[in-house]
Amino acid sequence: MGVAGITRAVIFAANTAPTKATYDAVYGGEPLLTRALVALSKAGIRSVWIICHEGDREKIAALIGKARTRLALDYDICLIRNGETLSEVVSRLVEQWDTSFLLLETNQVVHPTFLAQVAQFAASPKPVLVAYKHVWSNEGKIAFESAFSDKFKVIFAHPESFTKIALDKSVFRSNTFDLGPAHPPEISPALSNGIFSTDVVVCHRVHLQNDSWGDVAELIQHWHKQQLLRLGFVENVWWLPVTGRESQEDRTEFFWRIAFKEISGEFSKLVNSHLSKPLTFLFVRFGFSPNAISILELSLFLVSSAFLLIPQYWAMLVFAVVWQFSAGVLDRCDGEVARIRNYESEAGARFDMLIDDLRFALPLVFLTIACYRESHRDLTYLVAAVATAAWYSTAVVYQNRFLRRARYVSIQSMGVDFLKTQAETRWFAVFRRIQPFTKGDIRTFYIFLASFLGNKSVLFWMLVAYAWPLGASYFFTVVKFRHPSTSARPSIA
């Protein structure tokens, strides 16, 4: 995800606005400043000026140092000199920049998806103020168009925190709207009617010349009076202005909406997500990374599978409970923490796919040993296990090669695109009928239930029976994607 034409940004960590949303305020386990920098980095920004007051440089440098491994950008910290206005600082810093750049304050939570949409305004000849599409305020109440996704409604739980622009929703008919008519609309946080500004702007250094301002709000008003300002619209992306007055419940709801993975199966939504939610926020609170959770998950897979070597019924129950907790609950937690803390990456997605494979592979290895011993060395188990491992490994390698070539970072994202291309095929209707019984974490639940039978042979053959058609599905999807009749090109995840 890259911001075409925008590789630079200026971010204010000066706390010039009368708000408690300071650059070091922690939201979703991350200070607002480092959240913004990580989002900018993931969106393709490569150079950032961070403006702060004297005395804050060391603190800011220490904050960034903790997140440095996650940043693929260069940054410089600039102090506001005595008697220097914010406008003079910015003009001095960007006097050599000849391309568009982003300008924002650390009083909001931004996500890379938001910044990716901002990319479309890079070539504008006027400064662009980014606003949200398909939602507006009507007499102080929020109204949404049908195109507005439900999961993003949590952003507008407290409309009084937003700057509003006195415009009707008819402006949404185009991607941009020029605020330069004879009677320009009012822009103010106090309005009860209008559309919502995100207070993020795309501009060029020439737009900042001969102006004096102390924060982004004043700058926007300057451009507005000069009839230079243009609106650009984003939709269905994560972004939230913060004031420092939000309740813990508001924060939790916002970040849980970000964290929740909608493509999960029904069993995961109804059961595992309710168990993972408190754990996810506990992991966030204590600063766990997704990879740390994945390593914990892998360790519990190994420990639980080792109990299968014990020829006792209680050992099967220990395996069932610990393995299901790891495969069903912790597996959700690592992804949820990644989305909340902006830890999503291609390397992390690859590691997560490896953990997904090992969740079934490790029990199969230990079951093979246990069944071979307890059946008085019946070679059938060894032959079946080796054949299954060879088949499934070949399918995984084949699929992963395709994922890399097609630039997918997860099987799930490829699966979504694949099903779109197959909607008109004969087998698709049958697949839709059986999908609720095979999708997501419900497969781990079947293993969990079967463990209570206390029969390791049954469990062994269930895993073998699971691996063969799953491997076949990997070959099937790749071949179908390559088929000449497939008109849709796989999208980039």
Side-chain angles (χ1 to χ4, degrees), residues 313 316-317 320-321 445-455 459:
Y313 180 70
M316 290 282 286
L317 300 186
V321 173
F445 187 61
Y446 293 151
I447 302 299
F448 172 74
L449 290 180
S451 300
F452 282 81
L453 296 174
N455 191 317
L459 205 58

Side-chain angles (χ1 to χ4, degrees), residues 119-132:
Q120 62 186 303
F121 311 120
S124 173
K126 291 186 175 183
V128 177
L129 170 62
V130 182
Y132 219 103

Side-chain angles (χ1 to χ4, degrees), residues 71-319:
L71 300 178
L73 52 74
D74 296 319
Y75 69 92
D76 285 292
I77 301 173
C78 177
L79 299 180
I80 302 175
R81 299 168 181 170
N82 288 333
E84 192 176 34
T85 66
L86 193 59
S87 56
E88 291 172 333
V89 179
V90 177
S91 296
R92 169 166 55 87
L93 296 179
V94 304
E95 62 182 354
Q96 302 300 322
W97 290 2
D98 55 1
T99 56
S100 297
F101 56 91
L102 299 179
L103 202 63
L104 63 151
E105 293 177 307
T106 53
N107 60 348
Q108 53 202 300
V109 175
V110 291
H111 193 270
T113 56
F114 171 90
L115 297 169
Q117 287 197 28
V118 173
Q120 62 186 303
F121 311 120
S124 173
K126 291 186 175 183
V128 177
L129 170 62
V130 182
Y132 219 103
K133 197 171 186 179
H134 300 315
V135 57
W136 65 96
S137 179
N138 183 18
E139 300 299 332
K141 296 182 180 180
I142 304 300
F144 302 99
E145 288 188 343
S146 58
F148 196 92
S149 177
D150 284 342
K151 70 177 182 178
F152 294 102
K153 291 181 180 179
V154 68
I155 297 173
F156 301 94
H158 298 284
E160 67 277 2
S161 303
F162 293 80
T163 299
K164 304 172 191 72
I165 305 170
L167 289 170
D168 185 78
K169 64 176 183 177
S170 60
V171 298
F172 299 152
R173 294 171 185 168
S174 61
N175 288 329
T176 59
F177 182 82
D178 203 322
L179 291 180
H183 303 288
E186 185 179 356
I187 301 176
S188 170
L191 298 176
S192 60
N193 294 301
I195 65 173
F196 294 103
S197 162
T198 68
D199 296 332
V200 173
V201 293
V202 179
C203 60
H204 194 279
R205 62 179 171 81
V206 69
H207 302 144
L208 302 170
Q209 294 174 348
N210 304 318
D211 283 332
S212 178
W213 42 273
D215 55 36
V216 171
E218 287 186 21
L219 176 60
I220 290 171
Q221 291 294 349
H222 274 292
W223 284 334
H224 191 214
K225 291 176 182 177
Q226 296 169 6
Q227 297 190 357
L228 284 177
L229 199 60
R230 175 173 290 182
L231 287 182
F233 302 110
V234 295
E235 55 185 320
N236 291 344
V237 286
W238 293 115
W239 156 84
L240 182 74
V242 296
T243 64
R245 297 186 296 271
E246 293 81 12
S247 69
Q248 186 60 45
E249 291 75 17
D250 292 334
R251 297 188 192 190
T252 300
E253 179 63 16
F254 173 73
F255 284 108
W256 180 242
R257 291 296 184 97
I258 292 178
F260 194 80
K261 193 173 183 179
E262 290 193 335
I263 62 173
S264 300
E266 291 302 317
F267 178 80
S268 186
K269 290 180 182 179
L270 295 173
V271 179
N272 288 333
S273 65
H274 291 286
L275 297 175
S276 71
K277 184 175 182 179
L279 271 177
T280 291
F281 284 102
L282 190 64
F283 285 134
V284 166
R285 179 180 177 184
F286 287 103
F288 276 65
S289 70
N291 283 349
I293 300 171
S294 294
I295 291 171
L296 174 62
E297 183 184 352
L298 180 59
S299 299
L300 290 180
F301 286 155
L302 187 61
V303 170
S304 62
S305 299
F307 276 91
L308 294 170
L309 298 178
I310 302 174
Q312 300 290 335
Y313 180 70
W314 64 265
M316 290 282 286
L317 300 186
V318 173
F319 160 76

